[in-house]
Amino acid sequence: MVLPMRQNNDLTISIIVHDDFSHIYNALDSLAETTQTAYRVVIVINAGASEDVARLQQTYPQHTYIINASPQGFASNHNQVMAYTDTPFFALLNDDIRLHMSALDKMLGYLRDNPSVGLVGPRLLYEDGTQQVSVYSDPSLLRMLFKISGLGRLVHQKSRLRRYVVRSGLGRLLGVASLCQDMVTGSVDVVKGAVMVVRRDVYDAVGGMDETTRAYGEEVDWHLRIRQAGWQVAYVDEAQVTHYGTEQALSELCGWQIVEDRRA
C-alpha cells in the first residue's frame, strides 16, 4: 500500500495519538500556523475512544488517518508511515508539542543546505520556556551502568542535581551532551525523538527504527545506523519546539517500562 501523495508536497508529517487526545489539536494548529513548506499529515491512531477519533477526523478532514487494529510501538507506527509515502522528507512528531514559527521550515532548510546531513532535530523547550534535553551522546559503558543501577533517577530532567551539573560545565567536561547547556547548531550523536526530520534517501538506505524497542530508545540505534551509513545527525538550535511531555523524566516506571528505559 502506498498512500497517495498530494501534488508538490515535499514533506510527510507523521503523528501518533495514543488514548490521550488533549494535545493533538494544539500540535496540528501550530503546524498550520508556523509552516510554509508544502506538507501532508498522516495521523496514526494507536488507541483511542471512537468518539475522540471521530471528533478529530471531523475537525481535520484534510488529513490522512491510519487506525491500528491493535496498539503498536513508537517505531512501528512511524515506520509504517515512512514505508507508505514517497515525499523527499519525513517529519516524525510527538503529539504533545507546539511548533514555534518556521521550526519545520528551518530544519528542512538545514537539510537542503547540508547534503551530508541525513536527520535533524530542534531545540526543545519546556512550557515555561526553559530548555529541555534535546541531544544525547552515544551510550558508554559507564553511563549504561549508571542508568541500569537506577542512579540515573538522581539527575532526571527536573532535578536540582542535574541543574547544578549543567551549570557547572561538568557535562561538557565529561562529554555528555544531555548534560550540556548552550548547545549550538551542528553535528551530534543523537537528537531526542520527540521531533525528527529525516530524508527519504536515508530511510531507503538504512530502513526505519528498530521495532523490537517499545519505548524510550528507538532513536539511539537508528541515529547510529544513519551515521554508520555516512550521514550526519544534526541539532538545529534556531528551530524551536515546545514539548509538553515529561513522563519519562518524572514518572515512576514499572514493569516493561523499566526494561525499555534501562535499555535506552
Side-chain angles (χ1 to χ4, degrees):
M1 177 179 71
V2 177
L3 298 175
M5 183 176 67
R6 295 175 188 168
Q7 188 174 9
N8 298 324
N9 282 357
D10 290 331
L11 176 67
T12 294
I13 295 169
S14 174
I15 305 179
I16 304 165
V17 183
H18 184 94
D19 281 332
D20 182 0
F21 285 69
S22 62
H23 291 292
I24 183 66
Y25 295 88
N26 190 32
L28 292 172
D29 288 345
S30 74
L31 175 62
E33 293 163 3
T34 66
T35 308
Q36 295 297 315
T37 302
Y39 64 84
R40 64 166 305 180
V41 177
V42 180
I43 300 171
V44 180
I45 307 296
N46 200 39
S50 57
E51 59 268 24
D52 290 329
V53 175
R55 177 172 174 254
L56 184 65
Q57 291 176 314
Q58 290 168 5
T59 305
Y60 303 100
Q62 71 273 31
H63 299 326
T64 300
Y65 294 83
I66 298 175
I67 301 177
N68 288 339
S70 60
Q72 305 297 316
F74 176 90
S76 299
N77 283 313
H78 281 312
N79 283 351
Q80 69 175 316
V81 175
M82 291 189 287
Y84 296 144
T85 54
D86 54 4
T87 51
F89 300 97
F90 304 112
L92 312 183
L93 309 182
N94 277 21
D95 65 327
D96 57 346
I97 62 165
R98 183 166 186 84
L99 297 157
H100 293 216
M101 187 56 65
S102 302
L104 285 179
D105 299 319
K106 290 173 181 177
M107 286 186 279
L108 283 167
Y110 191 87
L111 285 169
R112 291 190 176 104
D113 292 342
N114 297 273
S116 63
V117 176
L119 181 148
V120 297
R123 179 186 182 99
L124 297 173
L125 304 172
Y126 288 110
E127 191 171 2
D128 63 5
T130 57
Q131 184 168 1
Q132 192 174 130
V133 171
S134 305
V135 302
Y136 297 95
S137 300
D138 282 330
S140 67
L141 178 60
L142 181 61
R143 288 176 57 220
M144 289 170 64
L145 292 173
F146 181 71
K147 193 164 189 179
I148 290 170
S149 72
L151 291 174
R153 298 288 300 170
L154 298 175
V155 288
H156 68 73
Q157 293 184 33
K158 288 286 190 177
S159 71
R160 292 182 179 179
L161 179 57
R162 188 186 194 93
R163 289 197 296 270
Y164 168 76
V165 171
V166 170
R167 287 197 302 267
S168 70
L170 184 59
R172 192 172 297 279
L173 181 65
L174 295 173
V176 180
S178 59
L179 294 176
C180 297
Q181 62 181 355
D182 301 324
M183 293 292 295
V184 297
T185 295
S187 180
V188 296
D189 291 340
V190 181
V191 297
K192 193 168 187 174
V195 178
M196 299 180 286
V197 182
V198 62
R199 297 180 189 276
R200 172 83 206 190
D201 289 345
V202 168
Y203 173 80
D204 288 341
V206 306
M209 289 176 278
D210 180 2
E211 297 184 7
T212 65
T213 301
R214 295 175 63 187
Y216 306 134
E218 300 90 344
E219 66 266 46
V220 178
D221 165 75
W222 198 34
H223 297 179
L224 175 61
R225 287 189 284 121
I226 289 170
R227 289 185 282 118
Q228 288 175 333
W231 280 282
Q232 297 175 44
V233 171
Y235 164 75
V236 182
D237 190 68
E238 298 79 14
Q240 299 189 3
V241 177
T242 296
H243 178 216
Y244 298 97
T246 57
E247 285 81 2
Q248 183 185 4
L250 300 178
S251 63
E252 292 296 330
L253 305 179
C254 60
W256 69 266
Q257 293 175 316
I258 291 178
V259 175
E260 296 298 334
D261 183 62
R262 296 298 184 262
R263 286 178 62 185

